[in-house]
Amino acid sequence: MQPFTTLTSTALPLRTENVDTDQIIPARYLTAVTQEGMGDGLFSWWRYSRDGSPNPDFVLNQPQYQGSEILVAGRNFGIGSSREHAVWALTQYGFRAVISPAFADIFYNNSLKNGLLPIRLPEDTVRSLLDLVEEAPKTSICIDLQKQTVTLPGLADSASGITETSWSFDIDPFRKQCLLRGLDDLGYLLDKEDQISAFEAAASL
Amino acid sequence: MGKTLFEKIWDAHVIAQDEGAPAVLYIDAHLVHEVTSPQAFATLRERGLPVRRPDKTYATMDHAIPTRIGALEVDWPDDAATQVRALRQNCAEFDVPLYDIEGEIQGIVHVIGPELGVTQPGMTIVCGDSHTSTHGAFGALAFGIGTSEVGHVLATQCLMQSKPKTFAINVEGDLGTGVTAKDIILAIIAKNGAGGGVGHVFEYRGPAIRALDMASRMTICNMSIEGGARAGLIAPDETTFSYIKGRTFAPKGDQWEKAVSHWRTLTTDEDAVFDRELTLDASALAPMVTYGTNPGQGVSINGRVPRAQDLEDPAERRSLQNALDYMGLTEGQPIEGQHVDIVFIGSCTNSRIEDLRAAAAIAKGRRVSDHVEALVVPGSKAVKAQAEAEGLDRIFSEAGFEWRGAGCSMCLAMNDDKAGEGKYVASTSNRNFMGRQGPGSRSLLMSPIMAAAAAVNGRVTDVREIL
């Protein structure tokens, strides 16, 4: 897993609530037997017209947001199916962090296992961030996982509704260390072999 | 202070809890299907690991396979065939038992697990599928996981999990005629929202839940994920025990009595406290129908599609407007009478024999409306055989429904069962997301009897008027 320490990037605004994993990656991309090729399917219902051409109205196709590694979205991001393909689609496209007021549980867990940082910020803050990056797409956002902060360097602009320029976010301390160091769960679990065997023996499993 | 049912199962399965780390949870049963497993088996291969407990792993194929009766594998789409072949190869290589479409036992993973008696009270059950919550109907802690976690369970039979919170959903009173378990769960989600259960495990309680058969309990627990919950639970009782008794993997002989006496302890203690609670009166419910693009956007059959102006929250207003634009519905319109093009009776929510019997009772002696295409997809080969033994297939066929083989089918349109652009689908499945049942498809979620009524009338109908 690619470690996540700090990230400075512009952000792509997706002002939609309840973005489900069928929207992130539709079922027809799930017939793959490998992880590859998911980036092309990211948001495909919205991103492509029915004839397969890019839909110019969808934010992902707008030139000012090309190269953004941070996605800012409405609440309940990632509801629905457990498909990890949704996270692979986001990371393969180039996203490294998603900011939303709330995430679905399975999506949140899947993100952490793939080096995609899900950041929960209050609804008002996310709304301000959406306003800001829609108005000023060049705005840089800095994420520091060690400090658990999202900051807007050099920006204090009351006109845009941004009265703060730094927010802290919560993350499970163990998950934070895994992300910082690029570790997955499997090594940790394999190290528990003695306890697993003892549990099975005690319960006659 | 006493424990909730969830806490009892959780505590019995934590094998390690390091300071500052999530719990290591032991998994009793791992269900596997063709779509979310290939990359997990690849991880095992890369690391040179075996499947630790193939005897606790059960694989089948359901998502991508065609359900047209007589569809030969050579005629399948290449990608579905590739995925099925990959599952066969992985199961052979790693010694995992496979319930193959070519064998006698096969079906939707959440239908065959309970059918085989794999699903038992007090177990932890996972699958790379969000509707694993279905198995909570037996008082098992069951939840969906991603493919990375599928790999963890294959390799270690364990998962790292943060402890969720508890959420009691009390359903009081008695259901009226024509009102079903599907209506209970759609009403709960409409009330609490599609994200309302995030971070929690629901426990469904109260007299209306106790009165339900196992198929109905599975319908409710199945859609816990649609309410945002990690899992849903119903405490086991005599209804549960008599369902399990005699099934292939059920305890036998002395072991049965021992198991049942343990299962009887799997209830929430009277003095236990839930983190959150919600109460619903079943007697006040009417059949439910969704109008929007998430399962929380539902209304009773006598209700109307909401108006944006009536919603205070700007995000909810925007969400409603987007949904209505996509669905082609009008603010304030009655949901009853809404035109329907396709009817889909099936899915892990509503494809069990009880669901098919109820729908067949409505279809019997009636005809599917001329402009409607209707299909019935049993949840498993066993459900299909039972339905055929009871003559339900003939009732459906004579009424103009198409009778299919077992699988997920048009619930997620991964195979060739796809609703066309702009088509309205009266569906017994669990998700009405944009494009879920085919590109541009418009889902109206409802119960099996409501879907059957919509098929014969060609529009959304209050089934109570034709009972």
Side-chain angles (χ1 to χ4, degrees), chain A residues 186 189-190 193 196, chain B residues 30 40 43-44 47 49-53 57 148-158:
Chain A
L186 192 48
L189 288 169
L190 288 166
E193 175 54 36
I196 299 170
Chain B
H30 184 195
T43 301
L44 263 61
R47 302 214 189 182
L49 296 166
V51 171
R52 192 172 188 287
R53 294 298 299 262
T57 312
S148 295
E149 292 178 317
V150 170
H152 302 160
V153 180
L154 288 175
T156 69
Q157 207 58 32
C158 290

Side-chain angles (χ1 to χ4, degrees), chain A residues 119-164:
Chain A
I119 298 176
R120 283 185 284 249
L121 289 178
E123 188 105 32
D124 289 351
T125 305
V126 173
R127 199 175 303 134
S128 301
L129 281 173
L130 285 167
D131 290 344
L132 177 72
V133 296
E134 280 176 356
E135 287 283 310
K138 298 276 176 237
T139 308
S140 270
I141 296 180
C142 293
I143 297 168
D144 187 324
L145 177 56
Q146 182 60 48
K147 293 185 191 156
Q148 296 179 218
T149 55
V150 174
T151 54
L152 299 171
L155 193 102
D157 180 1
S158 56
S160 65
I162 299 281
T163 52
E164 286 179 75

